[in-house]
Amino acid sequence: MDRGEDVVRQLYGRWRGPLHGYVLRLVGGDHQHAEDVVQETLLRAWRHADRLTPDEAGPWLYTVARNLVISGFRKRGGKHAEVPIEAEHLPPVADAVDHVLQSWQVAEALRVLTPDHRNVVVELYYRRRSVAEAAVVLGIPPGTVKSRCFYALRALRDALEERGVTRS
């Protein structure tokens, strides 16, 4: 058995039940849809087995599953009715959890960028500098900032899509 298969078996054993329960709530109790999402999530985990460990994969798995549900909802044109979830079933810090998951996804995706591309993204989007200001800080021409930004955002988009994040 190769490492990928072993990791997926461990992920399945540890996370399948909790992940299914989580997705089941997201899809309004549709067991078949929830199972499909869990299977697709685990398939994506298998594709990324070299970067996942069963003990630390939870946030990644939950994020991919959530994004699959959202993208599936959008593809169907919003045909699933939203099912209200009672407040006692929600974690008290749901917004904070989503924020942490999103931050984690972006941080992971930023790591795959080259340092030059990452620096441009940080200056323009995190430090909110103009192209001219970023050019001065980075010591490069404004045209280079624009070019690097274009390619950095393309690479960032690809990295996020690879992690299960889809565009709206």
Side-chain angles (χ1 to χ4, degrees):
M1 177 183 325
D2 71 5
R3 183 192 176 324
E5 288 179 26
D6 185 47
V7 167
V8 171
R9 284 182 198 276
Q10 290 178 36
L11 289 172
Y12 187 87
R14 178 167 183 173
W15 295 104
R16 190 217 160 270
L19 198 57
H20 187 269
Y22 171 73
V23 172
L24 192 59
R25 286 190 302 275
L26 294 177
V27 298
D30 182 340
H31 285 277
Q32 185 58 52
H33 188 194
E35 189 59 38
D36 290 345
V37 170
V38 170
Q39 291 301 320
E40 178 63 24
T41 301
L42 291 170
L43 174 65
R44 291 182 184 199
W46 174 70
R47 291 179 186 152
H48 296 87
D50 59 323
R51 291 183 266 169
L52 294 173
T53 61
D55 292 336
E56 298 172 352
W60 189 91
L61 292 168
Y62 280 87
T63 300
V64 169
R66 179 178 173 270
N67 289 327
L68 286 169
V69 169
I70 290 169
S71 66
F73 177 78
R74 287 183 186 136
K75 286 178 185 171
R76 284 187 292 283
K79 291 182 182 155
H80 283 313
E82 286 194 21
V83 176
I85 298 176
E86 300 300 322
E88 64 267 9
H89 297 317
L90 292 173
V93 292
D95 289 339
V97 170
D98 283 344
H99 179 71
V100 168
L101 287 174
Q102 289 171 354
S103 298
W104 173 77
Q105 288 175 315
V106 172
E108 286 294 310
L110 280 169
R111 286 191 186 114
V112 302
L113 299 180
T114 65
D116 288 339
H117 287 159
R118 186 173 39 250
N119 291 339
V120 166
V121 170
V122 167
E123 291 301 322
L124 293 175
Y125 293 96
Y126 286 96
R127 295 195 174 121
R128 300 206 181 269
R129 298 188 198 276
S130 68
V131 170
E133 292 169 335
V136 170
V137 169
L138 296 171
I140 57 177
T144 303
V145 171
K146 291 178 186 178
S147 174
R148 286 183 186 173
C149 180
F150 173 81
Y151 290 108
L153 292 177
R154 182 190 295 175
L156 190 59
R157 181 196 67 216
D158 292 345
L160 288 168
E161 284 178 352
E162 188 176 282
R163 287 163 174 74
V165 179
T166 57
R167 288 186 272 175
S168 46

